[in-house]
Amino acid sequence: MDNCLFCKIARGEIPSRKVFEDEDVFAFHDINPARPLHILVIPKRHITSLATIADTDTLVLGRILAVANQLASENGSPDGFRVIINTGRIGQQEVQHLHAHIVGGPEPVGPMLKRV
Ligand code: 5GP
Ligand code: ZN
């Protein structure tokens, strides 16, 4: 995807604070962190969201979750973390390239959602 922000970050065309990379996934610090630890983990190959996945995406989706604990432990959240994947309009996904937010830090991250 030529014009996708996170594809450009994964290709190194837009700078980011990278924390991890393998063949399939790329992880970097969120530009506007909501907690002391706030990392985004993305598939290198463009996937728009959890609403558009195919069977062939299963492996990379598993990989995104499988690296989360290591990334949190190595970046200041050794006692757990939260994974958030905003999806579509209702999930208020802003960037249309699938990404898992890994949030944490020295203190608990707070209630899961504000009750409405
Ligand atoms: P969403 O709301 O789509 O789940 O989250 C998008 C996230 O991407 C936000 O937390 C936002 O701060 C982050 N973000 C947006 N643009 C950039 C960027 O250019 N670089 C980095 N590192 N993070 C970004
Ligand atoms: Zn993309």
Side-chain angles (χ1 to χ4, degrees):
M1 293 286 277
D2 288 351
N3 241 341
C4 168
L5 174 64
F6 284 180
C7 281
K8 286 182 179 173
I9 285 178
R11 290 195 296 259
E13 294 167 15
I14 289 178
S16 69
R17 290 172 57 214
K18 177 172 102 171
V19 291
F20 177 81
E21 178 177 13
D22 70 11
E23 203 182 320
D24 300 316
V25 308
F26 190 90
F28 55 105
H29 288 281
D30 195 289
I31 204 166
N32 186 21
R35 293 293 182 277
L37 169 79
H38 190 165
I39 286 170
L40 302 174
V41 188
I42 64 173
K44 284 186 168 177
R45 185 167 48 78
H46 183 86
I47 301 172
T48 301
S49 83
L50 281 184
T52 65
I53 52 171
D55 284 349
T56 46
D57 297 326
T58 304
L59 273 175
V60 74
L61 289 170
R63 189 80 191 122
I64 285 168
L65 295 180
V67 298
N69 188 57
Q70 181 194 335
L71 299 186
S73 293
E74 290 175 355
N75 290 279
S77 197
D79 295 329
F81 54 89
R82 184 171 293 164
V83 178
I84 301 167
I85 304 181
N86 296 323
T87 303
R89 179 177 70 86
I90 299 299
Q92 297 184 295
Q93 178 180 359
E94 284 170 15
V95 176
Q96 303 306 311
H97 179 127
L98 192 149
H99 51 281
H101 298 255
I102 312 293
V103 292
E107 305 296 333
V109 297
M112 189 172 72
L113 286 174
K114 238 185 219 170
R115 294 190 188 279
V116 291

